[in-house]
Amino acid sequence: MVAKIIDGKELSKKILEDVKKKIQQNNQKPGLAIVLVGNNPASEIYVGLKEKKSKELGINCERYDLDELISEEELLNRVDELNQKKDIHGIVVQLPLPQHINDELVVNSVLPHKDVDGFTPVNQGNLVNDNNMLVPATARACIELIKSTGTEIKGKNAVIIGRSKIVGKPVFLLLLQENATATICHSKTKNIAKHTKNADILIAACGVPKLVKKDMVKEGAIVIDVGINRTDEGIVGDVDYENVKEVAGHITPVPGGVGPMTIALLLDNILQAMELHK
Ligand code: NAD
């Protein structure tokens, strides 16, 4: 079997067109503030991409490039100013923050209805309670990519590798909401292959280049690769793509899978945040 490629880039275009249309129909433009502290090269690329895409769609994007040495207190004050701004509907604090700043404290200071990343305790708690408000875009991306294959998620065995609060856990919760039987594997899981071999749906989000090998994958499985790893051979995912595609039924490439869908759904989250302001 050779897997069908799930084209995240193509799918993301449809979502972006939809978001653009909805913005055009609105009287007011959505406002997004992106806060970038310091000059982490990867963060600069991500922020540049989010800024470019949001402007293309007609979102008012305000970018705040702050000095690496900014104090935690000053950063909290800046976020609070954005919380108060009526024309800002969504706030993204680009992670990671410099070592001397407590990431969690700053992320949690974003008002829940402006938290378009879905990282605050209120939004995470809502997700646990099946009362979704703003859901992390990467987790939404995984679900949309699975659904695009036309496969029903209900009743399937889904295995997620990774338990981070930005990807692994929210994907797990969304899969439960879709009535999958979901399992999380992580860095302390013994014999990961025992779990993954049983997975109809396998989501790799561990940040370990090519961790998922061909012999760990069930024939015909849907494989979603969230990983973005910078290696000597360029950017690779958490899945050994070239070999795994010989056994999987569907597979996402890296790049061109989860990445573009994440950006598109982040922008969709801004529309949802705008609705919450009404
Ligand atoms: P993280 O470092 O916060 O979490 C990694 C998780 O993987 C942890 O829960 C850990 O227990 C688990 N893990 C680590 N090593 C493992 C191993 N050897 N076996 C099994 N589990 C292991 O990472 P994250 O923020 O969740 O991101 C994961 C990957 O996804 C990274 O490569 C990141 O760059 C990528 N990512 C991509 C997007 C996107 O838009 N495509 C978005 C977010 C993250």
Side-chain angles (χ1 to χ4, degrees):
M1 171 179 270
V2 177
K4 291 193 179 128
I5 313 300
I6 311 176
D7 189 343
K9 211 168 170 185
E10 206 46 46
L11 209 59
S12 72
K13 280 187 197 157
K14 293 194 186 98
I15 295 169
L16 291 172
E17 272 166 28
D18 213 39
V19 172
K20 192 173 182 176
K21 251 185 233 154
K22 285 183 187 151
I23 292 173
Q24 283 166 349
Q25 286 160 5
N26 246 316
N27 298 329
Q28 194 192 1
K29 275 188 173 184
L32 168 69
I34 308 180
V35 180
L36 174 62
V37 183
N39 4 355
N40 176 318
S43 294
E44 284 190 0
I45 294 173
Y46 293 138
V47 167
L49 218 60
K50 289 172 195 172
E51 189 184 15
K52 179 171 170 273
K53 282 280 170 215
S54 53
K55 285 186 172 163
E56 278 170 18
L57 261 54
I59 292 171
N60 276 333
C61 181
E62 297 179 5
R63 180 172 163 166
Y64 296 86
D65 285 84
L66 305 179
D67 193 279
E68 175 93 27
L69 297 175
I70 190 170
S71 70
E72 190 176 88
E73 191 187 355
E74 176 61 14
L75 181 57
L76 287 168
N77 288 337
R78 298 297 293 264
V79 172
D80 198 43
E81 280 165 24
L82 296 171
N83 278 336
Q84 308 307 327
K85 275 189 94 173
K86 292 224 163 18
D87 56 344
I88 290 296
H89 305 95
I91 301 171
V92 167
V93 179
Q94 186 65 39
L95 298 176
L97 292 171
Q99 289 261 309
H100 66 281
I101 294 174
N102 180 337
D103 282 18
E104 201 155 308
L105 196 67
V106 176
V107 166
N108 293 355
S109 74
V110 174
L111 280 177
H113 63 277
K114 294 194 178 191
D115 167 32
V116 285
D117 273 327
F119 294 164
T120 58
V122 169
N123 280 315
Q124 301 241 321
N126 282 334
L127 186 57
V128 171
N129 289 325
D130 298 336
N131 183 24
N132 303 2
M133 197 165 87
L134 291 165
V135 176
T138 307
R140 289 188 63 199
C142 293
I143 301 298
E144 292 306 320
L145 288 161
I146 297 165
K147 285 186 174 169
S148 77
T149 66
T151 309
E152 191 179 32
I153 299 176
K154 186 168 84 182
K156 295 289 188 305
N157 287 332
V159 172
I160 304 119
I161 308 176
R163 57 176 161 182
S164 73
K165 88 175 195 191
I166 68 169
V167 192
K169 281 184 199 156
V171 175
F172 170 79
L173 292 166
L174 289 178
L175 284 164
L176 281 186
Q177 288 180 2
E178 296 287 340
N179 294 308
T181 302
T183 305
I184 287 200
C185 296
H186 49 77
S187 54
K188 303 289 183 287
T189 302
K190 293 192 176 114
N191 197 351
I192 288 184
K194 190 181 114 200
H195 300 278
T196 57
K197 271 186 200 162
N198 198 27
D200 306 304
I201 297 167
L202 177 57
I203 296 177
C206 55
V208 181
K210 300 188 183 183
L211 177 103
V212 176
K213 305 282 187 241
K214 184 178 170 181
D215 61 1
M216 294 166 69
V217 177
K218 182 178 174 181
E219 178 98 24
I222 297 174
V223 179
I224 307 291
D225 190 352
V226 181
I228 301 176
N229 307 296
R230 286 170 179 78
T231 68
D232 293 342
E233 51 175 296
I235 292 191
V236 300
D238 292 347
V239 174
D240 180 9
Y241 178 82
E242 284 307 323
N243 294 309
V244 169
K245 78 177 193 313
E246 289 171 17
V247 283
H250 296 84
I251 190 166
T252 59
V254 175
V258 177
M261 285 293 282
T262 295
I263 297 226
L265 290 164
L266 171 74
L267 301 181
D268 184 65
N269 274 355
I270 297 163
L271 275 189
Q272 295 196 17
M274 202 173 172
E275 286 298 309
L276 294 170
H277 284 67
K278 285 182 180 163

